[in-house]
Amino acid sequence: MKGMIYKEITLSRKQAFMTGSIFAIFTVLCILVRLSMEYGNIADDTEWRGHLIDNLWILRYLPLVVLAFSYNPSVTMYDDIDSGFLRFCKTTSYSLNYLIGVKVITLLIFETGVFAVNTLYLALLGTVGGEGIAFSSVSVLFKMTVFFCVINLLMLFISTIAKNKKAFEAILVTAVTLLAVAYTPFLMGLMEKYNGRTDIDILDLLRLELAPMLKYVQPLCVVLFVSGVLLNIFVGSKLLERREG
Amino acid sequence: MNAIEISDLTKSYDGFKLDNISFNVPQGSIMGFIGQNGAGKTTTIRLLLGLIKRDSGSIKMLGLDNIECENEVKSQIAAVFDDIPFHNQLTAAQLSTVLADVFSQWDKAVYSEYLDRFNLPRKKKIGQLSKGMRMKLQIATALSHHAKLLIMDEATTGLDPVVRNEILDIFLEYLQDDSNSILLSSHITSDLEKIADCVTFIDKGKILLTGVKDDIVESHAVIKCKKSDLKDIDKNDIISAHVSDFGVEALAADRKLCEKKYSGITIDSTTLEEIMLFYVRRDKGEWTS
């Protein structure tokens, strides 16, 4: 398994470097903003500072979004397909369950790293702001990391269904479009409900409104994660086997 | 014992049918699998490797059914394709780490020896290697896990004669071990003339000839005569005839018979390439270039 994980990491090096660089830029900017909130220009603007304090979560979790896709198993899956490696594996006794399993394990390794780096970032941000690091922030970070794992697993599964990269992208675009269409009535309702308020107010109110539902997020993430792993290993590998090469 | 036994194998696609083919690859031999492009060579090889499913028939490799004993069979074979099936971003050295996971019998020392022998750079990315180097690397990987059977699909196509010769020598060396066998699909018949023990000729999804190469070549002959003499030759004795301004060349399937029947006509030995050419045009009977 070591060798195949090594392959996954080697193939993802470029992407990891790119997302890592963007993450570094984001973290520096976020920390500068936080410093400015305490000691710089923003500290003097009470109203603006107040808004930022209320929405510190943006500073806390925005860099995670970038780093969460430093390893994308669907990308390496298409690398395997396009290079002929998948076809090669089918000519050997190497199980496709392992091929998928390795991608899942690599994802876990990467996301654990992402979680650790982001926890350090949270600690740094907390130190700069003087509020320290709260367990609740780490807990949110963890849930978000699991959520991104689920997204990556879903993309991996789509890559086992889609015939080629174009079909894969078409499925993703369709899914995002459908989600946007489904989301529109909800958004329209919000606009009507909070007519005349600023975006930041709406976010605050929305957060309060959604608070009771947050308790379901954690178990849902766990269920989705386990389902994603099982779906890929048992169904995804069968779909890959069926793919004629 | 046969390394490969194919019986009544059938596979249909839209517009193509591999029609009930049967042939054997004796253990310890190189079988040349020849035919023009689209004849069914790659389909047969994909069926052997389990990359596609057969409609009917049976395939035994190293004495085992290739579907029922899939893992056991696949652990003892190596496939070589016309292009390297590894990621361009990896190097030869990194590939060894990866393949150690894929093959339980991966031999790093043997692989390293082949890299030295082929002068393959260890740290250069596969994407930066020449076509010949990529093929040599693929062959090095195929020979480094103690496979008993090599299955190669157009492995020498697109390579210069020097590299091709080097690779053919390696195949002969591999066959020094009597338990090793090779199925080599190619439309470059000159390569097979050099190294193949047996030949199977496929055309339009049907096996036209299969057997020991020397027997096939020796039993066929090219009859050379004037256009006016062609009418004296029994059509049943020839596969097809090439008619040109300079005369007629016809391929005979039974050299001895023709030598007896047509004593006044020139009867020459033939080559695999000529056999392939005349058989491919067998439906036309007489053809001009």
Side-chain angles (χ1 to χ4, degrees), chain A residues 1-8 10-11 13 76 79-81 83-95 102 241-245, chain B residues 11 13 46 49-53 70-72 74-75 77 79 81-90 94 97-99 101-103 125 141:
Chain A
M1 193 161 278
K2 209 171 59 184
M4 291 296 256
I5 292 174
Y6 174 73
K7 178 199 77 146
E8 292 294 308
T10 308
L11 294 180
R13 247 180 352 200
T76 63
D79 283 341
D80 290 347
I81 294 170
S83 65
F85 188 72
L86 177 68
R87 183 179 61 164
F88 169 77
C89 283
K90 287 185 189 178
T91 68
T92 70
S93 54
Y94 191 75
S95 157
V102 162
E241 265 167 35
R242 277 193 195 172
R243 198 185 271 250
E244 291 203 340
Chain B
K11 173 76 183 175
Y13 284 123
R46 285 182 173 183
L49 296 171
L51 294 173
I52 49 174
K53 283 184 180 150
E70 193 180 358
N71 282 345
E72 212 176 329
K74 285 183 173 176
S75 64
I77 65 167
F81 301 101
D82 56 348
D83 198 12
I84 197 163
F86 305 122
H87 307 80
N88 283 339
Q89 302 96 308
L90 297 178
Q94 290 170 331
T97 313
V98 176
L99 296 182
D101 258 8
V102 176
F103 299 111
K125 287 185 176 170
T141 61

Side-chain angles (χ1 to χ4, degrees), chain B residues 222-235 238 241-250 262 264-267 286:
Chain B
V222 174
I223 299 172
K224 292 179 178 173
C225 61
K226 290 178 193 164
K227 276 186 200 176
S228 54
D229 295 335
L230 185 60
K231 63 179 187 310
D232 300 330
I233 298 172
D234 185 348
K235 294 276 183 286
I238 60 171
H242 176 212
V243 182
S244 70
D245 293 341
F246 307 105
V248 174
E249 285 185 350
Y262 313 110
I265 293 175
T266 310
I267 296 175
E286 288 173 28

